[in-house]
């Protein structure tokens, strides 16, 4: 009897083992898919920006490394006291908000001199932007005030918008700041035809003054002209942030489980002819051979932010993974070619 039970148990274990090989998503944990790198940028990622070939990321501290380089990030030394709550870029200067409690100050980092400089006359809790820097502060009456900063006034008083709205900011890109009620240009004018509710993210578009904007259900493209908008339903659950991958003509929209993709009809500032594609398909940023590893890593979690760029003939994607148990939270990267697997940064 014991011998028979042993044989049954042995046969069962063999069947389970074979099933596991045939169906890796059912049995494989993240650590069994790939050997995970030690994490250098842990926790919630506040932003990722690029200045002349160098990438900067923040998780309260600021980290940097060469664009396209795999491996660990280095901590930027000499930062002002306090926790960094956001990053922005204007030309060759890096902007950041630092603070503790309710006290925050804006600084700009001269990447040439490698020195931090305080922006006088401005206390703000956050900064946004890839070209024009927008700083936002909470007022005593509970409303918000948006400011614009330019390199020409780093030693003077920041410009102040003409109070276009008291709505909270969502993000900024190019010449524009996205507030909860719509897209505004840096002269405080609201862009005609802008979506005005459920707004979740913004990123630079294919041309200089174009941008993509995402809300709960649709992706929008503004081409930078007087009022030309196009849109498409994106199908991403609870969108978080967006980025444009130029050489694959893809808009990546992060959500509560990985990210979705919209394929453009060309490298043009319009969504006419665009279509939603599946991860692992021919046009996807997720290669067919990587789909299982994607599904068992970043595809399982809330992604915010997401940032992608072309690198030679290939591309790089960074994702801020938000694991409810914090075990895998932090910055993850994918390099094609170089590291065709998702792994911790």
């Amino acid at each position: 009897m014991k011998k028979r039970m042993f044989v049954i148990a042995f046969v069962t274990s063999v069947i389970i083992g074979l099933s596991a090989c045939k169906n890796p998503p059912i049995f494989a944990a993240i650590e069994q898919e790939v050997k995970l790198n030690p994490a250098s940028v842990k926790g919630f990622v506040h932003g990722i920006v690029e200045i002349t070939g160098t990438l900067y990321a923040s998780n309260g501290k600021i980290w940097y490394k060469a664009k396209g380089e795999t491996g660990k990030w280095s901590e930027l030394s000499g930062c002002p006291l306090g926790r960094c709550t956001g990053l922005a870029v204007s030309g060759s200067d890096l902007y950041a908000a630092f603070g503790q409690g309710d006290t925050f100050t804006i600084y700009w980092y001269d990447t040439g001199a490698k020195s931090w400089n305080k922006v006088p006359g401005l206390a703000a809790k956050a900064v946004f932007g890839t070209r024009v820097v927008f700083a936002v502060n909470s007022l005593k009456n509970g409303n918000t005030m948006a400011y614009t900063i330019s390199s020409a006034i780093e030693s003077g008083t920041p410009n102040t918008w003409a109070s276009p709205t008291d709505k909270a900011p969502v993000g900024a890109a190019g010449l524009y700041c996205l507030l909860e009620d719509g897209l505004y240009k840096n002269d405080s004018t609201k862009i005609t035809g802008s979506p005005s509710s459920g707004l979740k993210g913004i990123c630079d578009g294919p041309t200089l003054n174009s941008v993509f904007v995402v809300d709960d259900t649709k992706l929008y493209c503004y081409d930078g002209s007087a009022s030309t908008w196009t849109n498409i339903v994106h199908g991403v659950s609870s969108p978080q942030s967006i980025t444009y991958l130029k050489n694959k003509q893809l808009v990546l929209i992060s959500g509560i489980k990985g990210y979705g993709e919209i394929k453009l009809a060309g490298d043009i500032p319009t969504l006419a002819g665009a279509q939603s594609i599946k991860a692992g398909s021919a046009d996807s940023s997720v290669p067919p051979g990587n789909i299982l590893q994607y599904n068992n890593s970043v595809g399982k979690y809330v992604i915010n932010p997401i940032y992608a760029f072309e690198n030679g003939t290939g591309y790089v994607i960074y994702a801020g993974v938000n694991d409810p148990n914090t075990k895998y939270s932090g910055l993850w990267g994918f390099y094609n070619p170089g590291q065709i697997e998702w792994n911790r940064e």
Side-chain angles (χ1 to χ4, degrees):
M1 183 68 179
K2 289 183 179 180
K3 184 177 180 180
R4 183 185 177 192
M5 292 178 66
F6 173 80
V7 171
I8 293 173
F10 175 76
V11 171
T12 302
S13 67
V14 170
I15 292 172
I16 291 174
L18 292 173
S19 298
C21 293
K22 292 179 180 179
N23 302 284
I26 298 175
F27 296 92
I30 291 177
E31 291 92 337
Q32 294 171 328
E33 292 280 338
V34 299
K35 182 179 179 180
L36 290 184
N37 297 326
S40 55
V41 184
K42 302 176 183 179
F44 182 75
V45 180
H46 298 289
I48 308 169
V49 296
E50 184 223 335
I51 299 176
T52 59
T54 299
L55 298 170
Y56 298 88
S58 173
N59 64 344
K61 298 178 180 179
I62 298 179
W63 305 80
Y64 71 96
K65 74 173 177 179
K67 183 178 180 180
E69 181 182 279
T70 59
K72 286 192 173 184
W73 295 61
S74 300
E75 185 177 349
L76 188 64
S77 61
C79 290
L81 295 176
R83 184 175 180 81
C84 175
T85 58
L87 300 175
V89 172
S90 178
S92 61
D93 294 329
L94 175 69
Y95 286 78
F98 289 93
Q100 294 177 330
D102 293 327
T103 304
F104 289 82
T105 304
I106 304 299
Y107 291 83
W108 64 279
Y109 181 70
D110 185 329
T111 56
K114 300 187 183 304
S115 62
W116 287 96
N117 305 272
K118 183 178 179 180
V119 177
L122 175 60
K125 290 189 174 181
V127 289
F128 312 88
T130 60
R131 187 168 151 201
V132 174
V133 177
F134 296 86
V136 180
N137 199 18
S138 298
L139 304 179
K140 291 182 179 180
N141 61 6
N143 294 332
T144 60
M145 175 64 72
Y147 302 85
T148 57
I149 306 172
S150 71
S151 58
I153 55 169
E154 283 163 352
S155 58
T157 302
N159 293 332
T160 305
W161 278 10
S163 301
T165 175
D166 61 1
K167 299 298 183 181
V170 177
L175 300 176
Y176 313 98
C177 186
L178 185 65
L179 301 182
E180 288 179 321
D181 66 344
L183 184 67
Y184 291 81
K185 198 175 179 180
N186 61 330
D187 61 3
S188 82
T189 57
K190 189 174 184 179
I191 302 301
T192 303
S194 168
S196 58
S197 64
L199 299 171
K200 301 299 182 182
I202 181 173
C203 71
D204 290 301
T207 55
L208 182 62
N209 292 325
S210 65
V211 289
F212 292 107
V213 171
V214 69
D215 68 12
D216 288 324
T217 59
K218 292 182 179 180
L219 174 70
Y220 300 83
C221 182
Y222 174 63
D223 71 356
S225 66
S227 58
T228 305
W229 289 83
T230 49
N231 67 78
I232 183 175
V233 174
H234 55 67
V236 175
S237 298
S238 300
Q240 304 289 311
S241 63
I242 57 175
T243 187
Y244 180 57
L245 183 51
K246 186 178 179 68
N247 61 346
K248 290 189 70 68
Q249 299 164 11
L250 288 172
V251 181
L252 311 184
I253 307 171
S254 70
I256 56 173
K257 283 192 175 182
Y259 63 89
E261 300 172 293
I262 300 294
K263 174 70 174 178
L264 273 62
D267 191 27
I268 48 178
T270 176
L271 292 170
Q275 57 183 331
S276 176
I277 63 173
K278 292 184 177 180
S281 63
D283 291 323
S284 174
S285 64
V286 181
N290 177 253
I291 186 64
L292 296 180
Q293 197 264 332
Y294 163 81
N295 287 337
N296 285 311
S297 55
V298 298
K300 297 174 65 173
Y301 298 111
V302 176
I303 301 300
N304 189 16
I306 189 166
Y307 183 77
F309 55 88
E310 57 187 76
N311 185 41
T313 58
Y315 55 92
V316 177
I317 307 173
Y318 290 116
V321 169
N322 296 277
D323 176 5
N325 296 319
T326 73
K327 182 177 181 179
Y328 301 114
S329 290
L331 189 61
W332 287 60
F334 181 89
Y335 303 78
N336 188 354
Q339 179 188 293
I340 308 180
E341 64 183 28
W342 281 97
N343 212 320
R344 291 190 295 206
E345 287 289 302

